[in-house]
């Protein structure tokens, strides 16, 4: 007797992200498996033992500079100064370059160093992408932290589909 968990990585406008690592771990650590999303952003774990707890997470640190520009620095600065604040939770998450759940001048410095080639990684283990569980609802979009980054099942008894993630870069 087996069950499954599947879904896809896609943004709100339908764009998918391929080659994302999706990892499933069992509650007691005896089972860990990783797959990459397909060209259409799909992932699937098809041989899971039922009646166990599992956690699914997505991760990617590829193309760290892709889509990052000096315009982002201007927009973050305007947000910090209160001139034009971000209107979406995902924009605030993306601006948190140093992974401290706040948007500050330190985020500007981290991104500037990355753009100028002084550093090749973001600080504090921050990856180029964060992934929000698609079923997560932000209580306050202006203060999105912490947010749901995994799908958890205390006791997986049946197949779960549409366990989707939204990429944030």
């Amino acid at each position: 007797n087996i069950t499954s968990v599947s879904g896809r990585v896609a943004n709100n406008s339908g764009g998918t992200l391929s080659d994302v690592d999706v990892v499933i771990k069992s509650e007691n650590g005896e089972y860990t498996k990783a797959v990459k999303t397909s060209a259409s952003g799909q992932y699937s774990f098809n041989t899971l033992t039922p009646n166990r707890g599992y956690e699914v997470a997505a991760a990617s640190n590829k193309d760290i500079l892709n889509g990052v520009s000096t315009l982002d620095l201007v927009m973050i600065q305007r947000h910090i100064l209160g001139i034009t604040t971000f209107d979406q939770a995902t924009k605030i998450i993306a601006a948190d370059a140093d992974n401290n759940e706040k948007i500050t001048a330190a985020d500007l410095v981290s991104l500037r160093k990355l753009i100028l080639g002084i550093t090749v990684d973001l600080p504090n283990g921050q990856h180029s992408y964060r992934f929000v569980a698609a079923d997560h609802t932000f209580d306050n979009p202006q203060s999105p932290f912490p947010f749901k980054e995994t799908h958890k099942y205390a006791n997986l008894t049946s197949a779960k589909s549409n366990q989707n993630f939204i990429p944030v870069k």
Side-chain angles (χ1 to χ4, degrees), residues 3 6 9 16 32 34 41 43 68 82 94 103 109 134 138-140 160 162-163:
T3 190
S6 63
V9 176
T16 59
T32 299
Y43 75 89
V68 178
I103 310 305
V109 171
F138 292 100
D139 294 331
N140 179 358
K160 299 287 184 187
N162 296 314
Q163 303 303 288

Side-chain angles (χ1 to χ4, degrees), residues 6-86:
S6 63
R8 68 185 264 193
V9 176
N11 62 29
N12 289 329
S13 57
T16 59
L17 196 58
S18 63
D19 205 32
V20 171
D21 295 314
V22 183
V23 177
I24 190 166
K25 296 178 183 178
S26 66
E27 61 189 358
N28 53 9
E30 90 281 352
Y31 179 88
T32 299
K33 184 175 182 185
V35 297
K36 297 243 187 225
T37 56
S38 68
S40 60
Q42 302 285 342
Y43 75 89
S44 183
F45 298 100
N46 295 316
T47 57
L48 304 177
T49 304
N51 302 312
R52 293 209 176 139
Y54 293 97
E55 183 173 11
V56 179
S60 178
N61 201 28
K62 67 178 185 176
D63 301 328
I64 198 158
L65 277 174
N66 185 30
V68 178
S69 71
T70 54
L71 179 58
D72 295 317
L73 298 176
V74 172
M75 293 169 63
I76 293 169
Q77 187 171 9
R78 293 176 63 84
H79 175 83
I80 291 169
L81 295 172
I83 297 168
T84 308
T85 57
F86 293 127

Side-chain angles (χ1 to χ4, degrees), residues 92-162:
I92 293 170
I93 293 167
D96 181 23
D98 64 3
N99 197 18
N100 70 351
E101 300 187 350
K102 296 180 272 189
I103 310 305
T104 65
D107 295 302
L108 290 170
V109 171
S110 297
L111 287 173
R112 189 173 291 119
K113 286 180 178 179
L114 195 67
I115 290 168
L116 293 174
I118 296 168
T119 60
V120 294
D121 288 314
L122 294 168
N124 303 323
Q126 175 74 333
H127 286 173
S128 60
Y129 285 91
R130 299 282 300 264
F131 295 90
V132 179
D135 61 354
H136 179 72
T137 302
F138 292 100
D139 294 331
N140 179 358
Q142 294 300 309
S143 181
F145 302 104
F147 57 94
K148 184 178 170 192
E149 295 186 77
T150 64
H151 291 288
K152 291 183 183 181
Y153 318 97
N155 185 28
L156 186 66
T157 57
S158 61
K160 299 287 184 187
S161 59
N162 296 314

